[in-house]
Structure formats: structure tokens, C-alpha cells
Amino acid sequence: MEVGFLGLGIMGKAMSINLLRHGFKVTVWNRTLSKCNELVEHGASVGETPAAVVKKCKYTIAMLSDPSAALSVVFDKDGVLDHINGKCYIDMSTVDADTSSKISEAIKAKGGYFLEAPVSGSKKPAEDGQLIILVAGDKALYDEVLPAFDVLGKKSFFLGEVGNGAKMKLVVNMIMGSMMNAFSEGLTLAERSGLSPGTLLDVLDLGAMSNGMFKLKGPTMLKNSYPPAFPLKHQQKDMRLALALGDENAVSMPVAAAANEAFKKARSMGLGDLDFSAVHETLKAPDHSS
Ligand SMILES: NC(=O)C1=CN([C@@H]2O[C@H](COP(=O)(O)OP(=O)(O)OC[C@H]3O[C@@H](n4cnc5c(N)ncnc54)[C@H](OP(=O)(O)O)[C@@H]3O)[C@@H](O)[C@H]2O)C=CC1
Ligand SMILES: O=CCCC(=O)O
């Protein structure tokens, strides 16, 4: 199967390398074109523009930072729409349902086929083909591209009409962002009250709250180390979009709202490009206890 891939950030790079490793022919494009060079070393071809990639490939996947990037790649000059007639577009970026619907409508109006397919799972699962893929849109296209989803992920869910994949992803990340803040507060409280935060990790791991995120991020957070797997600026974008979904549906989300404030504070401290676990740093204000 020949696929195009737009967006070679942390996720897009890992996903496209994984596709190449599994025998897919991949043509890549990235806004900063120099980032394509590493993919060429892995066997990819390069398209000069999103339009050129779509022209060449029957299926094009996108993995872009946010709604504005996702819209720009489709609607701007030399964008996806130029050659979409008869072609298939799969947007795996995390965006809101409105953005996804706008893209879907425009693509269908030009004779193309569309799926939204945001993912749960981060850099390592992307490298290992262990993502969880939240798909919605054209069911026939979903069935057609299952071989690619099977390489990229350990499980895909077909959720019905466009928007449902985006909403599911935002709900999941809203929970994750809130949990990360509670976890950071717990680590800080343990330390400041004279307990060993390392022992707290062991206690948590043995009980009902044991989870992959605490296990993965806890040890690095205790070392004040936040190499970006999921950049904090993207987690804050997801909290913002999830809160907007809460507004639309009159769902009160005080915990998520507080978590969003903490991520905003972290961004204002210049931590946006670090891993989202760097929200831990917002709790390290000078200690006035003595
Ligand atoms: N990292 C993670 O763990 C996960 C991320 N996601 C989601 O996946 C998406 C990508 O995340 P990730 O790879 O981490 O992000 P990165 O910040 O590493 O990469 C972002 C990508 O978007 C491109 N981009 C940004 N703005 C524009 C624009 N205006 N026009 C065209 N391209 C643009 C960047 O291009 P350039 O190189 O030129 O800047 C880059 O290729 C996001 O929606 C994120 O929320 C989902 C699951 C996990
Ligand atoms: O959107 C990013 C999700 C990161 C994860 O699921 O670990």
C-alpha cells in the first residue's frame, strides 16, 4: 500500500518510520521540509507540498499539531484540497469536532473520502505500533485502510460519524491531564511532608490506582526530567478543546478547569515544549513554610 504522510513531529516521524518498516511505500511532507531528510534515510520519498503528496498517493495521513495546522494544510495554497478528487484523507491529529467536520465537508465536496483517526498513546507506542486509534467517518474507507491501522496501533475503534473520534480523544486527554495534575500534587505533598516520593510510587503501583502513566512518568518527574514525548503545549490545547466541549454540553468540569490553569501556568513559565509531566514544575514555588 502506498501512503502519503503530512507532519513529521514526534508522532508523525515515529508513525511513518513504522509504516516503512512494515513494507508500506511512504511519501512524506513536513512544513519544515528539512525534517523529511531522516525519513528519506528510512526509504521514504518526499513531496514538495501537501497537494503533491495527495496527487501521488491514494491515501494520505496527517499528524499535525492543532486545529489551525490541520486546517491550514487542507485549505491553504498547495493544500490537500487541490488534488483530493477520488483520493482518501485520514487526519490523525488531535483537533475538535468542528475542525474535523469542516475538513470532512470540504473534502467530500471535492469528491474525496475522509476519516478522522486521532490516537491515544504517545511516542513509544507510536514507534512500536501500539497506538489506540479512534476512528470516525467513512466506514468503507475504514475497512480499506485497516491494514495501515493494524500496523500503527494495537486496536482501532470505529465510532460512527465524523466528530465522534475527536470528542472521544478529547475526553480521554481531559481525564489524563487532570490525573497528571493530581499525581504531581501528590508527589509534591509526599516530599514536602517528609515522605519518600519514591515509596509513594511503589504504594500507588500496588493498588487500584496503578497505571502506565504513573509508572512511566513518575521516576522521571522525581528527577525533574521532562524529555518531550507528549509536549505540554499540546496537552493544554486538548484541555482547552475539552473544556469547550464541556461548555457546549453544559457539563461542569471544575477539576479539568483547574488542570487547564496549571498547564497554562506551565506554558507561561516557558515549559510548553517539554513533556506534559513538566506541569509538576508549577508546584515548585519557593517554600515559605519555615
Ligand atoms: N506526542 C504525543 O504523545 C501525542 C500527540 N498527539 C497529537 O498528535 C499531533 C502531533 O503531535 P506531536 O507529533 O507530538 O507534535 P509536534 O509538535 O512534535 O509536531 C507537530 C507537527 O505539526 C506541524 N505543524 C505545526 N503547525 C503547522 C502548520 N501551521 N502547518 C503545517 N504543519 C504544521 C509541525 O511542523 P514543523 O516541523 O514545521 O514545526 C510538526 O510536523 C497533535 O495534535 C497532538 O496533540 C496525539 C497522541 C499522542
Ligand atoms: O495525546 C496524547 C496522548 C498521550 C498518551 O496517551 O500517552
Side-chain angles (χ1 to χ4, degrees):
M1 193 183 253
E2 179 159 13
V3 297
F5 208 106
L6 311 179
L8 302 174
I10 293 173
M11 293 297 282
K13 175 179 150 185
M15 292 159 75
S16 47
I17 288 177
N18 192 25
L19 287 168
L20 284 161
R21 221 179 31 233
H22 284 84
F24 286 73
K25 286 186 179 166
V26 184
T27 299
V28 297
W29 172 86
N30 193 67
R31 177 181 62 174
T32 308
L33 266 180
S34 57
K35 287 195 192 165
C36 296
N37 297 342
E38 190 179 343
L39 270 293
V40 171
E41 286 167 24
H42 287 269
S45 310
V46 179
E48 291 291 314
T49 62
V53 173
V54 171
K55 187 174 183 188
K56 183 172 175 205
C57 306
K58 181 170 179 196
Y59 308 97
T60 297
I61 295 172
M63 194 52 162
L64 302 157
S65 52
D66 53 21
S68 117
L71 290 166
S72 151
V73 161
V74 171
F75 289 96
D76 285 0
K77 184 170 175 291
D78 297 325
V80 166
L81 287 182
D82 285 9
H83 293 290
I84 199 66
N85 186 22
K87 301 292 180 78
C88 306
Y89 190 62
I90 302 144
D91 194 346
M92 304 188 77
S93 322
T94 304
V95 298
D96 56 302
D98 275 359
T99 298
S100 206
S101 298
K102 261 184 213 145
I103 292 172
S104 171
E105 290 310 315
I107 283 178
K108 285 194 288 188
K110 290 246 178 186
Y113 304 88
F114 179 75
L115 284 175
E116 63 178 4
V119 301
S120 204
S122 193
K123 184 179 173 188
K124 181 81 168 61
E127 286 168 353
D128 297 344
Q130 292 292 304
L131 297 168
I132 301 150
I133 309 180
L134 308 170
V135 194
D138 188 318
K139 177 68 165 65
L141 175 55
Y142 171 69
D143 293 335
E144 216 172 303
V145 298
L146 261 178
F149 287 155
D150 285 345
V151 163
L152 295 170
K154 62 180 170 188
K155 169 89 181 159
S156 56
F157 291 85
F158 185 77
L159 300 170
E161 65 186 37
V162 168
N164 287 347
K167 289 182 206 168
M168 181 66 85
K169 172 63 186 165
L170 293 178
V171 172
V172 170
N173 271 27
M174 183 273 284
I175 296 170
M176 188 177 75
S178 299
M179 273 174 68
M180 176 53 83
N181 275 278
F183 185 47
S184 293
E185 289 179 10
L187 291 175
T188 305
L189 180 61
E191 191 172 12
R192 297 264 182 93
S193 60
L195 298 171
S196 154
T199 304
L200 172 64
L201 293 184
D202 293 340
V203 172
L204 287 171
D205 194 36
L206 287 167
M209 274 183 290
S210 171
N211 69 74
M213 182 175 85
F214 290 0
K215 255 210 267 279
L216 182 70
K217 307 286 183 184
T220 46
M221 289 166 74
L222 293 187
K223 290 184 192 144
N224 307 321
S225 167
Y226 313 103
F230 180 35
L232 187 143
K233 63 186 176 192
H234 295 331
Q235 171 69 84
Q236 196 269 312
K237 171 255 306 177
D238 295 349
M239 295 307 286
R240 172 167 51 82
L241 298 176
L243 287 166
L245 185 61
D247 285 353
E248 278 167 40
N249 292 281
V251 177
S252 171
M253 302 199 297
V255 175
N260 185 42
E261 289 304 316
F263 286 120
K264 279 160 61 180
K265 181 171 176 193
R267 279 184 58 197
S268 79
M269 291 165 65
L271 307 175
D273 289 326
L274 296 182
D275 189 69
F276 76 119
S277 51
V279 74
H280 192 42
E281 292 294 311
T282 61
L283 300 171
K284 294 188 182 163
D287 184 359
H288 299 297
S289 58
S290 51

